[in-house]
Amino acid sequence: MGRNVALFNLTRQWAYRARLRYTDFTEWSETVYAFASMKNASVIADEFSRGPMSEAEVSQIAKSIARWVWGTITPEQTQANRKRWAKSLAEGRKKKMNERLEVLEVMNSERF
């Protein structure tokens, strides 16, 4: 994996979780850039023999991530996802409970 991919992955994964803390795009973009720049100076510089990437490269990666995450991970979308996940989780729990009850019924019918 190259420096660009490594920095992109570090930054995007952080951005997915951090997005909902921001309501202003300018502040969001600056924060994404600051995070990417910090990771470039620490993680990328330490883990790659070529050292850190140029500020222009970091800026482009941060700009791309900031725009995509801002438009894709919205409060409304997150709320819809959470409802869908909760429903799926509840259905899974209900199915598992029914399976356990069936096993117990079979065990009880075999005993008596």
Side-chain angles (χ1 to χ4, degrees):
M1 174 170 45
R3 297 180 305 167
N4 291 39
V5 173
L7 182 61
F8 179 82
N9 285 333
L10 283 168
T11 306
R12 76 174 173 83
Q13 290 170 357
W14 166 82
Y16 296 158
R17 294 184 309 274
R19 164 57 181 96
L20 296 181
R21 289 181 263 174
Y22 297 87
T23 57
D24 178 69
F25 180 73
T26 302
E27 180 185 10
W28 167 247
S29 295
E30 291 170 357
T31 304
V32 173
Y33 174 74
F35 181 89
S37 185
M38 177 188 66
K39 290 299 179 183
N40 183 50
S42 60
V43 176
I44 302 303
D46 292 344
E47 293 186 12
F48 290 88
S49 60
R50 292 180 59 198
M53 297 167 32
S54 73
E55 287 303 310
E57 290 175 296
V58 174
S59 177
Q60 286 302 319
I61 289 170
K63 183 188 279 187
S64 173
I65 292 168
R67 274 195 238 143
W68 189 88
V69 170
W70 185 264
T72 306
I73 301 180
T74 63
E76 297 80 17
Q77 184 61 47
T78 300
Q79 184 178 15
N81 287 345
R82 287 179 179 160
K83 284 182 182 177
R84 190 179 74 247
W85 296 332
K87 181 180 177 185
S88 178
L89 181 62
E91 289 172 356
R93 286 179 177 162
K94 184 177 179 181
K95 181 180 176 188
K96 191 172 240 179
M97 182 59 73
N98 286 337
E99 290 170 354
R100 288 176 180 163
L101 288 172
E102 288 174 14
V103 168
L104 289 174
E105 287 174 4
V106 168
M107 289 173 64
N108 281 336
S109 66
E110 291 175 353
R111 268 180 130 174
F112 299 106

